[in-house]
């Protein structure tokens, strides 16, 4: 069993996934500044906005490693029961979180566990709040073996999101709240557990913080 390697950002508070975007913006700003400071203000503003999007605040891990915490910052848009055929293989409780452009986009482990299943599917880029986004959009599945039972996390690309980043491989173990990747520019993250093994602690319309807000508890 391999422990998830911890990333050490070169720029404190900024996700490494954003470095190429920010570096490109700064280079374009410097180039434009040679000709016009006014024109340079445009790429500079876009670079600053990118740095804000890729912010990566430091957060402590939950004391209870078995807690079911939010996998993403954002707005809970759905709490329902579905039939999950890939990993849970049966009735399951699902908590759906929508991430806007203004939310922190770092994804974190919803519970401590070992990765037993991964699958990345290419697809469309509909709005993340679309009812069929979890079936047609590009998405990434992460199936976890935990001490309480299986947990499935899904990273789903949205209308603007064009790349899903996940640092987990099969066999990796990570603790609840640990940073595991991100979805660039607007997205959705689902946390799914077997029905009857846990209950939701959140309702639609509630805002959650990744790695900090308890979204469910084991029964």
């Amino acid at each position: 069993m391999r422990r998830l390697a911890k990333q050490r950002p070169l720029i404190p508070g900024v996700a490494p996934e954003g470095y190429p975007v920010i570096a490109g913006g700064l280079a374009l700003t410097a180039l434009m500044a040679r000709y016009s400071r006014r024109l340079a203000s445009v790429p500079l503003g876009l670079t600053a906005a990118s740095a804000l999007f890729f912010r990566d605040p430091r957060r402590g891990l939950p004391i209870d490693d078995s807690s079911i915490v939010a996998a993403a910052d954002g707005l809970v848009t759905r709490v329902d029961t579905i039939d999950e055929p890939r990993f849970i293989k049966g009735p399951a409780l699902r908590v759906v979180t929508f991430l806007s452009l203004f939310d922190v986009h770092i994804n974190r482990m919803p519970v401590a566990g070992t990765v037993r299943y991964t699958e990345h599917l290419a697809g469309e880029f509909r709005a993340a709040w679309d009812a069929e986004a979890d079936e047609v959009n590009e998405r990434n599945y992460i199936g976890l073996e935990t001490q309480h039972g299986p947990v499935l996390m899904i990273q789903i690309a949205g209308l603007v999101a064009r790349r899903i980043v996940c640092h987990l491989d099969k066999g990796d173990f990570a603790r609840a709240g640990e940073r595991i990747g991100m979805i660039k520019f607007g997205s959705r993250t689902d946390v799914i557990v077997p029905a009857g093994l846990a209950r939701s602690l959140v309702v639609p319309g509630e805002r959650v913080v990744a790695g900090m807000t308890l979204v469910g508890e084991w029964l």
Side-chain angles (χ1 to χ4, degrees), residues 30-32 43-44 50 80 85 102-104 107 109 120 122 124 140 149-151 165 173 178 195 198 202 205 210 219:
L31 179 63
M32 297 295 290
L44 180 60
S50 296
D80 56 10
F102 304 103
D103 289 309
V104 173
N107 287 149
M109 283 283 282
H120 184 95
E124 300 179 25
N140 188 56
V151 175
V165 179
F173 173 83
E178 282 195 294
V202 293
L219 299 176

Side-chain angles (χ1 to χ4, degrees), residues 27 54 79 87 91 107 135 150 175 192:
F54 286 106
V79 177
F87 188 68
N107 287 149
E135 298 178 356
R175 296 181 57 191
I192 304 172

Side-chain angles (χ1 to χ4, degrees), residues 68-73 97 107-110 177 191 208-216:
I68 306 174
V69 296
D73 289 30
T97 303
N107 287 149
R108 297 178 181 273
M109 283 283 282
V191 175
V208 295
V209 179
M212 299 182 67
T213 305
L214 291 176
V215 298

Side-chain angles (χ1 to χ4, degrees), residues 176-190:
E178 282 195 294
R179 184 189 190 285
I180 62 169
M182 72 181 304
I183 314 174
K184 295 183 178 181
F185 303 112
S187 54
R188 166 181 155 182
T189 304
D190 296 0

